Amino acid sequence: MPTHLLQMLPAFLAYFAVAIVLLALFLLVYLNVTPYAELALIRAGNIAAATSLSGALLGFAMPVANVIAHSDTLIGLAVWGAVAGVIQILAYLVIRFALPQLTQDIPAGRMAPAILLAVVSLTVGLINAACMTY
């Protein structure tokens, strides 16, 4: 393995570890904000829950990945990752307000609201990622 790649390995591992911690923290918060048990629903085969949660995770991961690509510090990654998480939670709350039955629709397996929630999460994540280019 070339020497410069070995020199970059510690930075790669540090950024990767912080990103995984951020992802785990986001998932923990998101699962506690939603009033239904996504993981239990997914284990039971609920595609609506899997779709909406997947959109939220990808919507969070996009800005985090962008910050990794443009950040020069782990602190910057952590701060912007926290901002990305807050923005994603707010996006969920907006959709929940716009679709008051969402808390019943996802557990019932209704795909239309789940797809809308996933697409809004992805769209917000994409815009969020673009705003985090500095």
Side-chain angles (χ1 to χ4, degrees):
M1 184 176 272
T3 306
H4 72 282
L5 292 179
L6 287 175
Q7 291 172 341
M8 298 297 294
L9 189 58
F12 164 80
L13 293 173
Y15 276 85
F16 188 79
V18 171
I20 294 301
V21 168
L22 286 169
L23 187 62
L25 288 173
F26 171 74
L27 186 59
L28 180 67
V29 170
Y30 190 86
L31 291 174
N32 282 293
V33 167
T34 59
Y36 37 84
E38 280 99 335
L39 297 179
L41 291 168
I42 292 167
R43 284 186 196 105
N46 186 313
I47 296 170
T51 300
S52 63
L53 183 58
S54 296
L57 287 173
L58 286 169
F60 175 74
M62 285 188 294
V64 169
N66 192 48
V67 170
I68 290 170
H70 296 97
S71 178
D72 53 356
T73 68
L74 292 173
I75 298 290
L77 171 58
V79 169
W80 286 113
V83 170
V86 169
I87 300 278
Q88 280 299 318
I89 298 298
L90 290 174
Y92 166 77
L93 294 173
V94 166
I95 294 301
R96 186 170 166 189
F97 178 77
L99 300 174
Q101 297 294 57
L102 184 70
T103 58
Q104 290 84 36
D105 289 341
I106 300 294
R110 294 186 188 100
M111 285 300 297
I115 291 169
L116 178 63
L117 178 56
V119 170
V120 167
S121 296
L122 290 168
T123 303
V124 167
L126 183 62
I127 292 169
N128 197 2
C131 292
M132 291 183 182
T133 301
Y134 47 91

